Amino acid sequence: MIDFVQAVLEFRHTGQICAGFKGQWDTDGTIEWTTDIGMNVEGSHDSRIMIRSQNKCDEDTFKEVYISGNPAKFLQGHNLFGSDDLLSLMAYALRRALDAIGKPVDEFTYRRWLVGAGVEIKMVDITYMWHVGSRDKARTWLRALSHTGHMKHRGRGEFRGETLYYGRKSRRWAMKMYCKGDELDSKKKGHRLPGSFFIDPYKLDGKRLQLYADDCVRFELRLLSLELKRLHLDEGTWWQTVDALQLFRAHLQGLQMSEQKLRYEALELELPDHLSKTYRMWRKGYDLRTMLNKATYYRHRKDLLEHGVDIGVTAAGDASAPESRVVPILRPLEAVPARVPDWAEGRSIYFDASKAKSGV
């Protein structure tokens, strides 16, 4: 789905759209620089999007409007799932925002936006989620990826807080992954579901959304201006034929990880406590025959063999087995992608691109 967007769209209007300005003055009172502050417009469930006028052509007339924000959240109140149609999503959200501040969009301009005419894309996030079975498994999966994952041209991942980044400081594109269930429980207001999802009439939706996201690993691809220009996707018209998922996969395909490492990390969660401790010691390379009494050693070895682990063989030797090969990250992910749930179809918590095209 399309997540965060920054773009400039042609929209001739009178009366500046802004929430003031900020600047800097020298000691003599001379203005060194000023910049307009965008206006935050409230959408669904208190979610907001920022807009401001741009490209002044006379005293009080402007040719363009700049938009920055998450149109899915603005329209749905959340961004757990949504549309892959960038142009429809952005055009509909911007028209809603401009209507809200008393600057209605004429039909001709709106139809131009829908086909990308007069639209310049500055930055876009494309995001997808995968169900991995539980929140603990999502955390384990990310930890395993941080230990053994490698992305072409981006190297090893970097954890900041609970989020794993690849190419965080890149001027072209970056990828990040995190447990969506943990994000919804975050103390940061912008990450949690809006308060309206915890009271009637949306209380049931709130519970469903939290349950839906609880075991998900979230991947976000951020395409910056230089990368968009390289791909010729800085002009809106090209987005009429873009397959967002294919574009996402093209950037993700360079990420690889050890299949064996992921299996080992996941197994640790499944073992009972008495075996989990032995298992962790074995993975660190200890000779357990010298650390456990004979009866305990053979009992634990028998139990762990049922899980495909032989503590009679050192961990280093086992890790070099054929199954420790490096595999593309897409393979373990393709099994359970998080799709739009049936209970959300046709409701306000899911934006349908056909709604934008019909002009409703």
Side-chain angles (χ1 to χ4, degrees):
M1 62 165 284
I2 301 299
D3 202 37
F4 201 90
V5 174
Q6 290 180 354
V8 176
L9 294 86
E10 290 181 0
F11 175 58
R12 191 175 184 88
H13 58 283
T14 302
Q16 186 174 8
I17 302 168
C18 74
F21 69 95
K22 58 183 177 181
Q24 181 173 307
W25 287 258
D26 62 20
T27 55
D28 297 328
T30 302
I31 298 176
E32 294 184 347
W33 60 266
T34 63
T35 184
D36 297 327
I37 300 173
M39 178 183 293
N40 288 315
V41 182
E42 189 173 300
S44 175
H45 299 275
D46 299 326
S47 299
R48 300 181 179 186
I49 204 163
M50 189 276 284
I51 57 175
R52 69 166 183 261
S53 297
Q54 192 167 287
N55 197 352
K56 189 174 184 178
C57 55
D58 60 35
E59 186 63 28
D60 198 35
T61 305
F62 298 81
K63 294 181 179 180
E64 299 169 337
V65 62
Y66 174 85
I67 179 174
S68 177
N70 193 315
K73 274 189 176 181
F74 181 77
L75 296 171
Q76 303 173 169
H78 69 88
N79 65 338
L80 301 186
F81 45 79
S83 175
D84 280 351
D85 188 336
L86 169 65
L87 296 176
S88 296
L89 187 67
M90 184 171 56
Y92 193 81
L94 181 55
R95 187 176 68 168
R96 280 269 302 270
L98 291 169
D99 284 346
I101 63 170
K103 295 190 181 296
V105 180
D106 63 272
E107 190 66 18
F108 177 75
T109 298
Y110 178 65
R111 292 296 166 185
R112 279 174 53 81
W113 292 348
L114 286 176
V115 296
V119 176
E120 182 181 0
I121 308 299
K122 298 290 188 180
M123 186 268 282
V124 61
D125 286 356
I126 303 174
T127 180
Y128 296 98
M129 300 199 300
W130 281 263
H131 295 292
V132 294
S134 71
R135 193 182 298 197
D136 280 341
K137 287 184 178 179
R139 293 166 180 159
T140 297
W141 194 92
L142 288 168
R143 186 169 68 246
L145 180 58
S146 72
H147 292 162
T148 188
H150 182 276
M151 177 172 275
K152 188 176 181 181
H153 304 308
R154 293 294 183 273
R156 292 284 296 273
E158 172 191 1
F159 257 116
R160 291 180 66 86
E162 300 302 318
T163 302
L164 179 62
Y165 291 87
Y166 287 88
R168 186 175 66 86
K169 296 181 180 180
S170 173
R171 297 174 59 212
R172 293 185 175 275
W173 64 272
M175 185 82 72
K176 68 179 182 180
M177 307 92 174
Y178 54 91
C179 171
K180 189 61 178 178
D182 282 344
E183 188 192 47
L184 291 187
D185 287 343
S186 169
K187 294 181 179 179
K188 295 182 179 180
K189 183 179 179 181
H191 292 165
R192 303 194 307 267
L193 288 174
S196 55
F197 279 116
F198 298 96
I199 58 176
D200 291 331
Y202 299 104
K203 194 172 183 178
L204 178 59
D205 288 331
K207 290 180 179 179
R208 283 172 165 174
L209 290 170
Q210 286 189 302
L211 183 61
Y212 171 87
D214 191 69
D215 71 334
C216 284
V217 173
R218 174 101 161 189
F219 278 59
E220 291 186 10
L221 167 66
R222 170 158 291 184
L223 300 174
L224 300 168
S225 182
L226 288 176
E227 181 71 358
L228 289 168
K229 288 179 179 178
R230 183 185 74 84
L231 297 171
H232 304 292
L233 293 177
D234 54 324
E235 295 182 13
T237 50
W238 291 105
W239 283 87
Q240 293 183 80
T241 56
V242 167
D243 183 328
L245 181 57
Q246 183 178 355
L247 181 59
F248 174 86
R249 289 185 180 278
H251 287 79
L252 183 61
Q253 67 181 359
L255 181 59
Q256 298 179 322
M257 71 181 296
S258 165
E259 200 170 40
Q260 181 81 328
K261 182 73 173 180
L262 179 60
R263 184 172 70 85
Y264 283 172
E265 294 278 2
L267 177 58
E268 187 175 322
L269 290 173
E270 301 171 3
L271 294 172
D273 291 342
H274 69 288
L275 289 179
S276 180
K277 183 179 179 180
T278 299
Y279 176 68
R280 287 196 298 271
M281 293 169 63
W282 171 77
R283 285 190 57 195
K284 290 179 180 179
Y286 293 110
D287 183 356
L288 298 179
R289 283 168 291 195
T290 66
M291 303 183 69
L292 301 174
N293 64 55
K294 187 175 181 180
T296 301
Y297 171 79
Y298 282 106
R299 186 173 67 252
H300 284 198
R301 185 185 182 195
K302 178 182 177 182
D303 291 342
L304 285 167
L305 279 171
E306 295 179 3
H307 296 277
V309 173
D310 185 358
I311 61 175
V313 179
T314 62
D318 192 71
S320 65
E323 62 266 30
S324 66
R325 64 190 181 279
V326 173
V327 297
I329 201 74
L330 286 176
R331 205 173 89 192
L333 282 179
E334 285 175 338
V336 280
R339 306 188 186 282
V340 179
D342 293 340
W343 49 263
E345 294 280 0
R347 304 185 57 231
S348 62
I349 58 171
Y350 171 56
F351 171 79
D352 187 347
S354 62
K355 184 177 181 180
K357 291 181 171 64
S358 67
V360 176

